[in-house]
């Protein structure tokens, strides 16, 4: 029993040095069961503060070594239980790692150790080095979602507890996103890291420090251009809006980024971008938008006139927003020449009845804003007459 014998260096060294094949449940079943029992006993040590102080903390080097040797490993490539997915089937089926039942107790022990009050900052920070954080962040690419959830919770707790390591952790997360944006283009743990970042951003003081503004411009905005951004867009949007709540002037940069990184040949992502664009525009200072108006309205016109119904429908939602209509009115010298001829044309010819009704309603709105301008931009040119 661990509680009676203490943390035995020889036994723990032997325990962590043996690797098992978890793909076959019955293989070395007895040894695997003993391993789980030992982990359970270690876990129970944390329930008593005297045990933590007298048995765990004095051997923290062995404990951290045990954790590292268990979790730091080449990540397995998991296969779906039903083989390759067919066309039309869900591709986001949850993948499970056969080793997870044996990894989970290690992660749980680590998490409970960090949150334990007896495990003080001075003792713990010695082991949370730059190399440790680098290797820990690499684990976020695991395909096993339960592992990523543990990783997120542990890193969040480490960040909260180890104030001297916060800048180092932020820099390591930033580097992970640079790799995603400029090299790998896919990272399974992006959503989980953005969850952590959302919590960190919430705590930023106002006015934002220059390093935080730089992070917004070089990580948050370019993360939209990644081909797999739909997998973490919900969390990315939350981070974006938290930044804008701290500094609304950043909204102009985000609008510019969304228009620059607009997805092509991907209607689902276009719908996603349109939703975010409208939300961000509501934060923008109208007087600062002028340089982006031509690009913004050209994009909206393409979406409305395009072949995909959901994209067109979502773009039409802009004109139900009062703040957006005020943008339209403020810059009508730019917006009407781009918008009116296209709306006038497709309102009469669009194949979808409901959208055609919306287009005709928009024609009415435009006429109410400036009837003469509508006549000017819908009247045939001398060449056509």
């Amino acid at each position: 029993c661990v509680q009676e014998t203490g943390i035995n260096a020889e036994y723990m060294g032997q325990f962590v040095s043996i690797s098992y094949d978890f793909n076959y449940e019955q293989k070395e079943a007895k040894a695997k069961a003993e391993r789980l029992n030992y982990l359970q006993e270690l876990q129970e040590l944390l329930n008593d503060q005297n045990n933590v102080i007298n048995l765990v903390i004095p051997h923290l080097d062995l404990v951290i070594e045990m954790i590292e040797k268990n979790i730091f490993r080449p990540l397995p490539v998991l296969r779906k239980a039903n083989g390759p997915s067919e066309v039309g089937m869900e591709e986001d089926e949850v993948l499970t790692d056969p080793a997870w039942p044996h990894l989970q107790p290690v992660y749980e022990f680590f998490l409970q150790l960090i949150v334990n009050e007896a495990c003080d900052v001075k003792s713990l920070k010695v082991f949370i080095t730059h190399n440790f954080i680098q290797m820990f962040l690499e684990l976020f690419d695991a395909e096993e979602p339960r592992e990523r959830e543990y990783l997120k919770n542990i890193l969040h707790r480490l960040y909260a507890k180890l104030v001297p390591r916060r800048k180092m952790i932020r820099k390591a997360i930033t580097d992970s996103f640079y790799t995603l944006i400029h090299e790998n283009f896919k990272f399974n743990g992006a959503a989980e890291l953005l969850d952590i970042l959302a919590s960190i951003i919430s705590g930023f003081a106002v006015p934002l420090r220059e390093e935080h503004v730089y992070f917004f411009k070089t990580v948050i905005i370019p993360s939209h251009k990644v081909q797999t951004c739909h997998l973490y867009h919900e969390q990315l949007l939350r981070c974006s809006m938290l930044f804008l709540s701290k500094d609304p002037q950043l909204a102009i940069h985000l609008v510019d980024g969304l228009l620059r990184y607009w997805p092509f040949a991907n209607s689902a992502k276009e719908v996603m971008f349109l939703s975010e664009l409208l939300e961000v525009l509501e934060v923008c200072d109208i007087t600062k938008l002028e340089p982006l108006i031509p690009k913004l309205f050209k994009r909206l016109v393409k979406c409305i006139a395009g072949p995909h119904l959901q994209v067109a429908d979502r773009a039409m939602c802009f004109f139900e927003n009062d703040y957006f209509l005020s943008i339209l009115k403020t810059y009508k010298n730019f917006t009407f020449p781009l918008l009116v001829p296209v709306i006038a044309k497709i309102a009469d010819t669009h194949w979808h009845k409901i959208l055609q009704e919306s287009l005709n309603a928009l024609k009415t709105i435009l006429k109410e804003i400036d009837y003469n301008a509508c006549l000017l931009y819908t009247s045939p040119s001398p060449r056509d007459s």
Side-chain angles (χ1 to χ4, degrees):
C1 176
V2 177
Q3 195 160 343
E4 293 175 2
T5 62
I7 294 178
N8 184 289
E10 184 180 347
Y11 184 75
M12 185 173 274
Q14 182 185 10
F15 166 70
V16 300
S17 65
I18 300 171
S19 58
Y20 298 99
D21 185 351
F22 295 109
N23 290 304
Y24 301 96
E25 195 174 331
Q26 299 307 317
K27 192 175 179 181
E28 300 173 300
K30 185 179 177 182
K32 290 174 185 174
E34 288 176 0
R35 181 181 184 280
L36 285 174
N37 287 337
Y38 183 73
L39 284 167
Q40 182 62 37
E41 290 181 18
L42 279 177
Q43 177 73 33
E44 288 168 4
L45 282 181
L46 301 180
N47 296 332
D48 187 325
Q49 292 298 83
N50 287 329
N51 286 335
V52 178
I53 294 166
N54 298 318
L55 297 177
V56 178
I57 300 301
H59 299 288
L60 201 55
D61 56 338
L62 292 175
V63 169
I64 298 296
E65 184 186 3
M66 180 275 289
I67 291 167
E68 288 178 346
K69 287 191 176 178
N70 274 275
I71 66 174
F72 293 156
R73 70 211 190 279
L75 291 172
V77 177
L78 305 182
R79 296 179 181 177
K80 294 182 181 179
N82 60 351
S85 60
E86 297 176 11
V87 176
M89 290 180 67
E90 289 293 324
E91 291 188 6
D92 55 352
E93 180 187 341
V94 175
L95 302 174
T96 57
D97 185 350
W100 177 245
H102 300 269
L103 283 167
Q104 188 272 339
V106 180
Y107 278 117
E108 181 62 27
F109 174 78
F110 191 20
L111 179 60
Q112 295 307 321
L113 176 65
I114 294 165
V115 300
N116 194 293
E117 291 179 5
C119 185
D120 60 293
V121 173
K122 188 178 178 182
S123 300
L124 189 58
K125 76 173 186 178
V126 175
F127 303 99
I128 308 305
T129 61
H130 176 73
N131 188 52
F132 179 93
I133 293 298
Q134 287 279 85
M135 294 175 73
F136 195 80
L137 284 172
E138 287 173 13
L139 294 174
F140 274 84
D141 201 26
E143 293 181 319
E144 169 61 70
R146 292 169 295 183
E147 181 169 8
R148 296 200 305 271
E149 189 65 21
Y150 263 104
L151 291 163
K152 178 180 81 172
N153 290 331
I154 289 168
L155 187 60
H156 195 178
R157 295 289 186 175
L158 285 172
Y159 187 88
K161 188 163 193 163
L162 301 181
V163 176
R165 295 285 182 263
R166 286 185 179 178
K167 189 168 185 178
M168 183 184 76
I169 292 172
R170 287 201 305 271
K171 173 140 190 345
I173 292 175
T174 300
D175 289 342
S176 293
F177 275 96
Y178 284 156
T179 303
L180 169 66
I181 294 164
H182 302 294
E183 294 176 29
N184 290 352
F185 313 116
K186 185 174 189 287
F187 184 68
N188 290 316
E192 285 80 6
L193 285 180
L194 286 165
D195 273 337
I196 296 171
L197 284 171
S199 179
I200 293 172
I201 296 162
S202 296
F204 284 167
V206 176
L208 290 173
R209 283 170 19 198
E210 187 55 40
E211 67 168 291
H212 299 149
V213 174
Y214 184 77
F215 176 83
F216 178 78
K217 291 179 179 178
T218 61
V219 172
I220 297 297
I221 294 177
S223 290
H224 288 81
K225 76 175 181 179
V226 179
Q227 191 174 2
T228 54
C229 88
H230 61 285
L231 299 174
Y232 56 80
H233 184 261
E234 180 184 342
Q235 294 80 5
L236 182 61
L237 175 59
R238 185 169 172 232
C239 288
S240 298
M241 298 313 293
L242 280 168
F243 263 110
L244 301 192
S245 71
K246 302 279 182 181
D247 184 356
Q249 292 184 35
L250 295 174
I252 296 293
H253 298 283
L254 184 52
V255 170
D256 186 37
L258 286 168
L259 294 171
R260 191 183 328 130
Y261 300 132
W262 200 267
F264 293 94
N266 190 330
S267 56
K269 278 181 72 174
E270 281 198 89
V271 170
M272 203 167 62
F273 268 52
L274 284 164
S275 298
E276 180 173 358
L277 181 59
L278 182 56
E279 200 169 334
V280 176
L281 281 171
E282 290 184 312
V283 184
C284 287
D285 179 348
I286 288 183
T287 61
K288 303 284 177 62
L289 268 173
E290 184 171 344
L292 296 176
I293 291 298
K295 196 191 292 187
L296 170 63
F297 277 82
K298 281 177 185 176
R299 174 54 57 196
L300 287 175
V301 165
K302 280 186 180 179
C303 289
I304 293 169
H308 199 279
L309 181 62
Q310 284 180 309
V311 173
D313 186 56
R314 187 57 59 95
M316 288 295 293
C317 290
F318 278 62
F319 300 94
E320 297 170 11
N321 183 284
D322 290 338
Y323 192 73
F324 180 77
L325 287 176
S326 66
I327 295 171
L328 173 68
K329 293 172 188 174
T330 302
Y331 296 105
K332 65 181 182 180
N333 289 340
F334 296 102
T335 60
F336 269 53
L338 293 169
L339 195 59
V340 172
V342 177
I343 299 301
K345 181 179 179 181
I346 61 175
D348 297 328
T349 59
H350 202 279
W351 59 271
H352 194 273
K353 185 179 177 183
I354 295 174
L355 195 63
Q356 191 176 34
E357 290 172 2
S358 297
L359 288 162
N360 279 302
L362 177 55
K363 271 175 67 177
T364 303
I365 291 170
L366 294 172
K367 285 177 181 176
E368 288 172 357
I369 293 171
D370 192 329
Y371 184 79
N372 290 329
C374 284
L375 285 179
L376 175 65
Y377 295 118
T378 53
S379 58
S381 64
R383 189 181 299 174
D384 296 330
S385 56

